Amino acid sequence: FLLFAKKGAQSCWYLQTKEPLLLGRVFSGIQPTGVPHLGNYLGALGNWVSLQNQYSSVLYSIVDLHSITQPQDPKLLRTNILDMVASLLACGIDPRRAVLFQQSQVSEHAELSWILGCLTSMPRLRHLPQWKSKQKNEGSVGLYTYPVLQAADILLYKSTHVPVGEDQVQHLELAQDLARIFNHRFGDLFPEPRALLSSTRKIKSLREPSAKMSKSDPQTMATVFLTDSPDDVALKIRRSVTDFTSEVTFDPENRPGVSNLVSIHAAMATISVEEAVSQATGLDTGAYKQLVTEAVVQRLTPIRLQVERLRSDPAHLEHVLAQGASRARELAAPVLEEVKQRVGFC
């Protein structure tokens, strides 16, 4: 059951469970790009559900401030935010166990980002991947300083652990550096957050298995979304790229397409890769695709139905965000106040 404890300026929510929860605070964020795809689910979101049951304090943010580093249609952005809330709830994020909130509703993120930005050198940002990927230095100031806001997101809650993919490790290192810089200049305040690397294999595009699955892939058959119908899932997997060898083996280097299907099958059926290959004994890749389809449909159907139900009640989704923002501010406000005092603002 849910308990609330308050000690001085700090307050926290936690669940009393049979197993003791790990000490520490987990923070992670996801951009509101609409309904997640299979790769998101098997990578970040499945891990998020596990972490909320393992740690004593967990915060998950829909990072809409980050999303506007690229042009956004305002109406679509609002729809995407609510779709993301619905998707997270449907996947198993429990607002009683984790603080689920919208980043822009907690203004302390932006305030701390400015202060940390004044401690960050331009060369340090110039070599981070979000900027290096832009040709001829094209891009907004927001994109350039994006990692500083990420650092503020993390440090604002004195987070100790951050689940990240390998492509985000450099951004977490900036948060660690800024914690050290602030602590050295103004006295110890921020813990240095540690990475929680996911062991889940990256899910690849069904049409181009050398690239990871992506929402922005122009090929409609490349990506399976959590709200895809069983027929859509079957069609996409049936048309997935494999090779001319009929036997099913797991060899990502030489057989990326078939190996991607094995990874999907193993993850969705919660079995090992070895067991997935064993179940494919005697099947050609065409027949194996049907087996993979069944595993995906079985796992996604209840999520799809729950997303549809939640989408039909936007007032409930707004209420979840409002409650989450209130709880997030209770944690963020005293930290920012302490930062302001140490910097000399008050």
Side-chain angles (χ1 to χ4, degrees):
F1 54 90
L2 187 66
L3 298 177
F4 180 75
K6 198 161 189 174
K7 183 179 180 181
Q10 299 290 331
S11 57
C12 63
W13 295 78
Y14 62 95
L15 279 164
Q16 182 168 319
T17 61
K18 294 181 180 179
E19 296 296 327
L21 297 173
L22 297 172
L23 296 177
R25 174 166 290 157
V26 173
F27 178 91
S28 193
I30 189 168
Q31 288 202 29
T33 51
V35 174
H37 59 66
L38 192 59
N40 301 139
Y41 174 66
L42 293 177
L45 303 187
N47 193 33
W48 280 19
V49 173
S50 298
L51 290 171
Q52 74 179 358
N53 299 320
Q54 296 173 16
Y55 282 84
S56 57
S57 180
V58 180
L59 296 101
Y60 296 138
S61 180
I62 298 174
V63 289
D64 51 343
L65 292 176
H66 289 291
S67 71
I68 62 170
T69 57
Q70 302 293 333
Q72 298 283 342
D73 175 86
K75 289 183 179 179
L76 180 59
L77 177 59
R78 189 61 200 156
T79 298
N80 284 344
I81 290 169
L82 295 182
D83 278 353
M84 183 58 73
V85 180
S87 299
L88 294 176
L89 296 176
C91 287
I93 299 302
D94 186 345
R96 298 171 302 169
R97 295 175 181 266
V99 179
L100 177 60
F101 69 103
Q102 184 179 335
Q103 180 192 32
S104 64
Q105 293 181 356
V106 183
S107 62
E108 286 86 352
H109 286 256
E111 291 185 65
L112 182 59
S113 179
W114 176 258
I115 294 170
L116 295 180
C118 294
L119 303 177
T120 309
S121 71
M122 293 180 68
R124 181 73 172 85
L125 295 179
R126 198 176 296 131
H127 291 93
L128 290 173
Q130 97 292 342
W131 191 254
K132 287 173 68 176
S133 64
K134 286 290 179 183
Q135 299 296 318
K136 300 179 182 178
N137 284 343
E138 293 177 358
S140 67
V141 173
L143 182 65
Y144 188 72
T145 59
Y146 180 109
V148 179
L149 180 56
Q150 277 190 323
D153 296 337
I154 295 164
L155 298 181
L156 182 59
Y157 301 98
K158 296 187 177 181
S159 308
T160 58
H161 297 83
V162 182
V164 293
E166 292 181 2
D167 57 342
Q168 289 291 317
V169 168
Q170 282 185 282
H171 288 176
L172 180 59
E173 288 172 350
L174 177 64
Q176 295 167 338
D177 289 347
L178 285 171
R180 285 191 290 267
I181 291 168
F182 186 96
N183 291 344
H184 177 73
R185 186 172 299 185
F186 302 109
D188 286 348
L189 178 63
F190 296 118
E192 292 182 26
R194 297 168 53 190
L196 293 173
L197 291 172
S198 173
S199 59
T200 305
R201 295 180 183 275
K202 290 282 187 185
I203 300 302
K204 305 295 187 178
S205 162
L206 295 179
R207 299 299 299 166
E208 183 51 63
S210 62
K212 67 180 183 180
M213 187 172 286
S214 171
K215 292 180 185 177
S216 59
D217 196 313
Q219 300 189 70
T220 58
M221 292 292 109
T223 304
V224 174
F225 291 93
L226 299 189
T227 51
D228 279 349
S229 69
D231 287 344
D232 287 338
V233 172
L235 179 62
K236 291 177 179 181
I237 293 177
R238 187 164 64 247
R239 292 189 177 178
S240 62
V241 171
T242 51
D243 52 42
F244 297 109
T245 303
S246 62
E247 183 185 6
V248 176
T249 60
F250 186 75
D251 183 359
E253 186 73 23
N254 298 307
R255 305 189 69 197
V258 173
S259 299
N260 189 39
L261 291 179
V262 172
S263 293
I264 292 171
H265 178 205
M268 297 302 276
T270 61
I271 57 178
S272 67
V273 164
E274 293 75 17
E275 176 62 21
V277 172
S278 176
Q279 289 186 14
T281 301
L283 300 178
D284 60 18
T285 53
Y288 182 61
K289 287 179 178 181
Q290 179 59 36
L291 187 63
V292 176
T293 297
E294 291 171 1
V296 173
V297 169
Q298 182 176 5
R299 187 82 171 268
L300 291 190
T301 294
I303 294 174
R304 174 175 57 83
L305 295 175
Q306 182 72 337
V307 170
E308 292 173 357
R309 186 187 70 79
L310 289 164
R311 273 173 156 176
S312 69
D313 189 2
H316 171 67
L317 300 177
E318 297 276 7
H319 178 68
V320 169
L321 288 178
Q323 283 195 319
S326 176
R327 292 169 60 191
R329 280 192 294 268
E330 289 177 352
L331 297 172
V335 176
L336 184 65
E337 187 65 24
E338 179 69 19
V339 169
K340 288 180 175 180
Q341 289 177 5
R342 296 196 184 199
V343 170
F345 290 166
C346 54

